[in-house]
Amino acid sequence: MTDIPVLSTHRLELRAPEPQDYPDFKATFASYRSRFMGGPLNPYETWMLYAAEIGHWQIRGFGMWMVHLRETGETVGMAGGWQPAKWPEREIAWIIWSDRAGRGYALEATARVRRHLYEDRGWDGAVSYLDPKDLDSIRLCERLGAKKDHSASSVDGHDVCYRHPEPAALKGSQLAHGIEMEIQNYIDPLFKPKGWAID
């Protein structure tokens, strides 16, 4: 059994997918919310995909975490590394349940996942494969500093590839500080970085 670490952020705890998390996963992937990730899926397809989420950890040694709120323990989505068969490169992927969207959870979770994959797993880079109509995910990639890579291989010819900054380009960068400030603003809308004018 792969030892799956628990990752923590200000508001979130990322833990291995467990059987009790399946109902939330099933509800999301059976809904219109999953339209950019191959859905909506029927009950058999959602079961097979969830089994693949768990099995991916065993095969690749990395995978998707369930994203939980630290205060309540409830799940709000998934985020992690992903590279099933036919994926040209290792991907950072995510999905937030529809009733939890718009609160910065995807940014907070993916930023933490990327830091873990870079600093603890030794990844030297990553991509995200997106549907070109998925404007919310494209915007998130841009906020994370990822840029569209026109020369990258496609998964199926219908996706676009966004390439994340390499570890050296992120460490101590203005981008990294900007991501942290945006997360802090989601936590506290009145948050002001030190040195900024109050008015």
Side-chain angles (χ1 to χ4, degrees), residues 9 36 44 61 80 108 118 130 157 165 167 172 190:
T9 70
F36 297 128
Y44 176 76
E108 191 170 337
Y118 281 9
L130 305 174
L190 299 179

Side-chain angles (χ1 to χ4, degrees), residues 22-105:
Y22 177 64
D24 287 328
F25 178 91
K26 179 181 178 182
T28 295
F29 275 88
S31 74
Y32 187 65
R33 178 74 173 168
S34 66
R35 67 195 181 281
F36 297 128
M37 301 183 75
L41 305 180
N42 65 41
Y44 176 76
E45 290 168 332
T46 58
W47 174 260
M48 292 299 289
L49 181 57
Y50 196 66
E53 299 282 1
I54 296 172
H56 191 284
W57 280 100
Q58 307 304 313
I59 296 168
R60 296 291 195 200
F62 62 89
M64 300 285 284
W65 284 267
M66 274 290 173
V67 180
H68 300 261
L69 296 181
R70 292 181 67 179
E71 286 191 358
T72 65
E74 65 186 296
T75 64
V76 297
M78 298 186 79
W82 188 242
Q83 193 185 18
K86 297 186 179 180
W87 253 237
E89 299 184 57
R90 294 178 296 195
E91 178 182 17
I92 293 174
W94 63 90
I95 187 167
I96 299 297
W97 311 155
S98 58
D99 62 342
R100 293 297 184 169
R103 305 180 197 186
Y105 296 142

Side-chain angles (χ1 to χ4, degrees), residues 111-126:
R112 181 65 183 94
V113 162
R114 185 170 67 181
R115 181 157 60 90
H116 169 75
L117 294 174
Y118 281 9
E119 296 179 3
D120 302 323
R121 297 278 177 144
W123 286 25
D124 57 5

